[in-house]
Amino acid sequence: MTAPVQPTHATVVAQWRSGRGWRAVLLFGPPGAGKSDLALRLIARGWRLVSDDYAHVFASGGALYARAPETIEGRIEVRGVGVTPSCALGLARAVLAVELSDEPFERMPEPETRVLDGVSVPLLHLNPREASAGEKVAAAIARL
């Protein structure tokens, strides 16, 4: 694999996909946007943490991968509680980017992508505070 790029400000969680292995979602947003909170809700549904808040994201063989920097591996910030241990994956293929914001989004948006280390992945805009945010992420990754 190639050397990792500079740390990317994103929380990364992955879901096991039968026949495909672990497929990761990169959650982007400013501090306090709800990246860790949405990750916790997905983890409660069986997803696994890859990295909280910062991740090394890099391309290899035309695919995008993410892993945690060693200094934060296996830990997630639980707002109001503190940093807690979490069962984490060492590496996962990233197949979806999600931009988190409280701003309203198009009901039926045109497809968008985000390019990371030369690899284009689908981009979803989402309000992480909606009760259905986890289901929306799961529905989006199931289409890939």
Side-chain angles (χ1 to χ4, degrees), residues 1-134:
M1 290 189 193
T2 60
V5 296
Q6 292 299 312
T8 300
H9 186 92
T11 293
V12 184
V13 289
Q15 179 187 50
W16 177 258
R17 305 282 298 160
S18 183
R20 294 183 164 181
W22 291 99
R23 294 295 184 248
V25 174
L26 298 112
L27 304 173
F28 291 96
K35 297 180 298 294
S36 298
D37 184 73
L38 180 54
L40 284 169
R41 288 184 275 152
L42 290 167
I43 291 166
R45 293 182 176 105
W47 293 54
R48 293 274 295 275
L49 177 70
V50 176
S51 189
D52 184 38
D53 207 32
Y54 284 94
H56 289 298
V57 178
F58 58 96
S60 180
L64 194 66
Y65 294 88
R67 67 176 176 82
E70 288 182 25
T71 56
I72 61 171
E73 187 174 10
R75 294 183 284 169
I76 188 168
E77 179 186 345
V78 180
R79 193 171 290 266
V81 175
V83 177
T84 62
S86 179
C87 185
L89 294 173
L91 179 74
R93 183 173 177 184
V95 298
L96 177 67
V98 179
E99 185 67 42
L100 303 179
S101 173
D102 291 336
E103 298 297 318
F105 299 108
E106 293 289 325
R107 185 171 159 231
M108 299 292 288
E110 291 295 320
E112 291 184 59
T113 59
R114 177 169 282 184
V115 178
L116 298 152
D117 201 25
V119 177
S120 179
V121 294
L123 174 65
L124 173 68
H125 294 276
L126 185 67
N127 181 338
R129 288 163 179 64
E130 291 179 349
S132 61

